[in-house]
């Protein structure tokens, strides 16, 4: 045999002498393939998560496809241009939808709520829930989201408590204040 040919018997003999090394080598080769495919798997998972969030959001809002597409494009844009993923932005939008906001109100409120999350370190969906409940509790429109966010941020960051702790007490205050305001304005 020539010097360049491979003696299969010698390879098998080595494999039997060092079975553990060969199994580690095989595992490493498989891991290399898996590592190469991991980014693709992650991208598919993130897309599926985002798609699921959008479907859930559309179901909650009950928006027509053409109206919902505007919101979906806004969510994609915010996912591209901010530190949040599109799936996280969609989760925040879903929290607002569950609080009873419609598609245009969600679109108006989202940028300010992203700022609240970033400024306080709260999860985006949690920040959306808190800001949405504060808006509803005081009977404010989504045009005033930035003001509400500024107040919530200053209060949370000027305190030893986090946004969630502060909000748990504030919700009761909102409901009582809102009811009193309504009762003093409304006859009867």
């Amino acid at each position: 045999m020539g010097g360049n040919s491979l003696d299969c018997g010698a390879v098998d003999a080595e494999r039997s002498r060092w079975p553990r090394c060969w199994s580690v080598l095989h595992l490493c080769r498989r891991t290399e393939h898996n590592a190469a495919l991991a980014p693709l798997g992650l991208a598919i998972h993130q897309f599926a998560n985002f798609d699921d969030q959008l479907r859930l959001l559309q179901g909650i809002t009950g928006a027509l496809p053409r109206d919902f597409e505007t919101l979906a494009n806004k969510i994609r844009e915010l996912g591209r241009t901010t530190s949040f993923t599109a799936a996280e932005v969609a989760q925040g939008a879903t929290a607002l939808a569950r609080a009873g906001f419609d598609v245009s109100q969600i679109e108006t409120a989202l940028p300010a709520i992203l700022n609240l999350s970033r400024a306080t370190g709260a999860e985006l969906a949690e920040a959306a829930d808190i800001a949405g409940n504060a808006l509803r509790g005081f009977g404010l429109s989504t045009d005033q989201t930035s003001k509400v966010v500024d107040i919530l941020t200053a209060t949370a960051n000027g305190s030893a408590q986090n946004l969630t702790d502060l909000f748990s007490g504030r919700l009761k205050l909102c409901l009582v204040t809102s009811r009193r305001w309504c009762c003093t304005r409304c006859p009867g």
Side-chain angles (χ1 to χ4, degrees), residues 119-155:
T120 61
E123 294 291 324
L124 182 55
E126 180 183 26
D129 186 42
I130 290 169
N133 284 321
L135 288 166
R136 289 287 188 228
F138 283 115
L140 302 172
S141 72
T142 54
D143 295 337
Q144 297 175 316
T145 305
S146 291
K147 291 178 185 175
V148 170
V149 163
D150 290 344
I151 292 167
L152 288 171
T153 301
T155 304

Side-chain angles (χ1 to χ4, degrees), residues 18-184:
W18 303 98
R20 203 166 190 197
C21 291
W22 282 97
S23 64
V24 168
L25 179 63
H26 180 68
L27 178 64
C28 288
R29 229 180 332 164
R30 248 191 337 193
T31 304
E32 287 173 7
H33 293 296
N34 290 343
L37 294 175
L40 178 63
L42 181 61
I44 290 170
H45 176 72
Q46 287 177 340
F47 175 77
N49 186 22
F50 174 66
D51 189 54
D52 289 346
Q53 280 297 318
L54 282 184
R55 289 174 193 272
L56 177 63
L57 178 59
Q58 186 171 16
I60 292 170
T61 61
L64 296 173
R66 70 173 190 276
D67 297 332
F68 186 76
E69 192 58 35
T70 304
L71 177 60
N73 288 336
K74 179 72 169 185
I75 290 170
R76 286 184 192 98
E77 175 193 337
L78 291 170
R80 253 191 337 271
T81 59
T82 66
S83 60
F84 297 101
T85 66
E88 290 171 324
V89 177
Q91 289 171 352
T94 301
L96 290 173
R98 285 189 170 134
F101 292 94
D102 66 27
V103 171
S104 64
Q105 292 171 324
I106 293 169
E107 194 173 339
T108 301
L110 269 177
I113 291 173
L114 267 63
N115 292 336
L116 175 64
S117 176
R118 202 174 10 253
T120 61
E123 294 291 324
L124 182 55
E126 180 183 26
D129 186 42
I130 290 169
N133 284 321
L135 288 166
R136 289 287 188 228
F138 283 115
L140 302 172
S141 72
T142 54
D143 295 337
Q144 297 175 316
T145 305
S146 291
K147 291 178 185 175
V148 170
V149 163
D150 290 344
I151 292 167
L152 288 171
T153 301
T155 304
N157 290 343
S159 157
Q161 296 177 322
N162 64 27
L163 188 62
T164 306
D165 295 338
L166 287 170
F167 182 69
S168 64
R170 299 272 189 275
L171 178 59
K172 294 172 189 153
L173 177 65
C174 287
L175 295 174
V176 169
T177 305
S178 176
R179 186 173 293 139
R180 277 198 192 135
W181 178 76
C182 179
C183 291
T184 58

